[in-house]
Amino acid sequence: MGSLFRSEEVALCQLFLQSESAYTCVSELGELGLVQFRDLNPDVNAFQRKFVNEVRRCDEMERKLRYLEREIRRDAIPMQDTGDNPEAPMPREMIDLEANFEKLENELKEVNSNAEALKRNYLELTELRHILKKTQVFFDEAMYPPNLPPDQAPYFDDDDETINLLTDISLHQLKHIGFVAGVILRERVASFERMLWRACRGNVFLRQAQIEEPLEDPATGEQVYKSVFIIFFQGEQLKLRVKKICEGFRATMYPCPEAPADRREMAMGVKTRLDDLNTVLSQTQDHRHRVLVSAARNLRSWMLKVWKIKAIYHSLNMFNIDTIQNGLIAECWIPVPDLETVQLALRRGTEKSGSLPAILNRLSCVESPPTFHRTNKFTRAFQGLIDSYGVASYREMNPAVYTIITFPFLFAIMFGDLGHGIIMTLFGAWMVWKEKPLSVKKVDSEIWNIFFGGRYIILLMGTFSMYTGIIYNDVFSKSLNLFGSSWHVPFNESTIRDNREIMLDPKQPDQYEGTPYPIGLDPLWQLAANKINFLNSYKMKISIIFGIVHMMFGIILSLWNHRFFNRRLNVLCEFIPQVLFMSCLFVYLTLLVFIKWVNYGAGEDVPLVLTPGCAPSILITFINMVLMKGYEEAKGPNSCSAYMYDGQFYLQRMMVVVAVICVPWMLVAKPYFLYRASKQRAMLGTGGVEGAMEETPSTMPVQPAEDHDMSEILIHQGIHTIEFVLGSVSHTASYLRLWALSLAHAQLSEVLWGMVLRIGLSTAGTTGGFAMYFIFAAWATLTVVILVLMEGLSAFLHTLRLHWVEFQSKFYEGQGYAFVPFSFDSILEANESTVTEAK
Amino acid sequence: MALCGYKTSLCGMLLSVWGIVQLLFMGVLFYIESPAFIEDLPLNDHYDTPEEYVTDVHRGFKANAFNCLIGACLYIVTLGVSTWQFYMNQKTTFQV
């Protein structure tokens, strides 16, 4: 029967699959998610496995799909997630998919390279157009210089002399001047000019003009600024030099005709060509867009299919090949209650492929199976808390069930504030209410995912904190008076005026009604100067009580473990002395607390011995008990007694004796019995498992022969005993953190109110309202950040520690390994998260 | 016309709701002179006569009550502005 009480029974099974049906059967099992395959070829290299070709083909398909996804993302086309879960396609469909992807990839690559070539062409033509436009200006200046006297600066900087130079030269001589026109990046112009000047010894003449609009670089796609330049020189040598320098600076040179008429013709030709290119380019982009849009529709389901195929082949690689019957043999772990479901799935798979049915055999195994807890969305978070410490050993008691309640409860003891509890509950409730839409959204933030994964824990912690807030009567450090306080102040004005502090006496009926406040702490304590004194005693005592209850519960759980695994020796030699030890000392301590609470009081008719002044200190009583102090006589007939009930002295003596006896019992009894059993076995002459062990049920793992090294057993038992005995004291004291954190929380809350909100409340006059407005915002922010988040995290951590160390050390082994079934859901989720991480 | 972003307006909305609820509650409690707030009153350090003290206590309670209620009203305004901003931001995201 599956439940959270202990992990489920898991059986090792052998699966015989026919070759034809293997693929479909594994696909069905993957959809089911209940089977964990064992790797039967662990020492085989990944490249030597049987289905390595198929895995390679899947990888190739995945690569193509990722390429498509990148392109789609670059064009900002939305990829819808229809949420449907396509089944893994049959092997023959895989070929179709492959062909489809290949076609798409080739088409896209072609379109991209075409687009790039077109863009390059476009760039060249654009640059040429700019050149033709700008050089027009240069040549105009050369031919028709502005009519300026030489000393007046024209609007171009350093070209006085050059303009004059050109004007002096006749047209005839102009023919000897060669020129080169081109385009260069703007950043390089200065160094280009300098290089030219130096290399050509100042015999060349450069004119440059910036191109205003940026041009798109075809390779990278980013916009760059360029400048047009034209270099005039005379002679072949200079021409060669200039050309080399241009190439060095990656300036693109264009043939620019000299005559203006030719240039005009060229400009028109360039313009028409540019227009044509524009249309072609836009059509190419449209085509690419259409291809990508049609691919985007199916991309996600293709990706899922490819992942599923790959997962199936990975699993198939783990199987053994049975060449005799042309089949595959698989070994897997299956939870016993699910055997029927798995059989059905196998039948479905074989029906789909139309071959002989698969055979499922149960095997007996020596090693312990994996631990499987069947959880739902609520219990999964708590199981996760326990598994973080250590996965339960096979079929061990599962602490997670109890954690569902004890965890929020111990948290709430430390966090107890109604106001903060309301905030936490609202947050948890919102996350639970909006569970479905929030879980579909894939958020990258790790912190959010942690909070969302623990939404049920947060909801429960908040609810329990509201309860303890009511008990502690603490709302943002103020108390609620719902039922009327039981304390009253009957003093007259002069008494109040003359005394700085007055202690209300519970014996007087006009000061204390005699019946306490119905639920929780009386609201008057909030204003009392000795609030901390009272609360300390109260909170410490309840911390110890809850701690000892928690630990005794842990010890009792170990009894169930011993009974299940038939460890009678452990029951006798570990469980009983542990219970006796804890009871005689610590449960007795809590009993004393209760006796003191019940018997002693401050009423009107209380005898002297039972007045609060005569109440013996429990700590001193306990210390005297353990140190075996002598009997304390009462000092007179009407004085206080050190004992709370008759016979306490002798009872305590006996309890100490019993507790002391338990220690060697824990230490020596089990090794002695084991030693005797091993001697018996040696005498009988038979090794093996029978003897001290009773008959084990078939599902239990067959225990290997015990290690009969006595020294090791003694050491192990010694460590165990010391851990328990010393731990009992230290763990009990450790539970006092419940008191400490709740005190800290209450004090922080008070300080925040007193230091922040009181400022707003103390400002007099009309500005008070505005002060309240701003100061409330500050107080609210600090409350959420410090008191809810920081204190909440702190209390969460301490509660977790109490569970992991103090509670679980009493019974938990935690040496198991988790059951990780072959499930498409988990594989797809893992792949998705790697994809989002990579982005 | 979005003055602040999506997250700011959401925080504003939540803070305003909390502010309205708590300040209204506190305002009412101050008005009925709940003794839990006795330490939060604006009082002097020393009084000569008890009558002065009592008068100041009553005045302090009323003053704080009104301060809290004014704060609550200001938070109603903030709630309105935040909600408007929140819906402004939602519209722009849908348009994109």
Side-chain angles (χ1 to χ4, degrees), chain A residues 270-284:
Chain A
V270 165
K271 189 167 170 314
T272 34
R273 278 167 66 193
L274 269 175
D275 288 335
D276 288 340
L277 254 183
N278 254 332
T279 22
V280 175
L281 218 72
S282 61
Q283 276 180 355
T284 318

Side-chain angles (χ1 to χ4, degrees), chain B residues 8-81:
Chain B
T8 323
S9 48
L10 187 63
C11 278
M13 275 171 72
L14 292 173
L15 184 65
S16 311
V17 170
W18 181 4
I20 293 171
V21 168
Q22 179 158 341
L23 287 175
L24 271 176
F25 202 46
M26 278 168 64
V28 168
L29 286 175
F30 269 111
Y31 195 75
I32 64 174
E33 302 199 348
S34 146
F37 290 115
I38 190 91
E39 290 160 357
D40 298 321
L41 299 173
L43 298 172
N44 296 334
D45 291 328
H46 175 76
Y47 286 95
D48 292 319
T49 63
E51 288 77 30
E52 269 181 39
Y53 173 71
V54 168
T55 332
D56 249 8
V57 163
H58 287 305
R59 191 162 4 117
F61 270 123
K62 290 279 183 304
N64 275 351
F66 287 128
N67 285 348
C68 286
L69 291 172
I70 293 174
C73 292
L74 288 172
Y75 273 115
I76 294 178
V77 173
T78 317
L79 180 65
V81 171

Side-chain angles (χ1 to χ4, degrees), chain A residues 444-483:
Chain A
D444 278 346
S445 164
E446 183 84 28
I447 297 180
W448 165 257
N449 283 333
I450 292 179
F451 276 133
F452 185 68
R455 57 195 180 277
Y456 286 104
I457 304 183
I458 293 179
L459 178 63
L460 246 61
M461 293 197 302
T463 323
F464 278 65
S465 302
M466 283 169 66
Y467 167 71
T468 53
I470 292 176
I471 299 290
Y472 288 155
N473 212 347
D474 191 351
V475 187
F476 297 130
S477 84
K478 297 286 170 199
S479 289
L480 293 173
N481 186 358
L482 298 171
F483 303 103

Side-chain angles (χ1 to χ4, degrees), chain A residues 197-210:
Chain A
W197 185 262
R198 287 204 189 121
C200 308
R201 308 228 179 94
N203 286 328
V204 298
F205 167 53
L206 168 87
R207 288 295 306 277
Q208 56 102 352
Q210 295 178 336

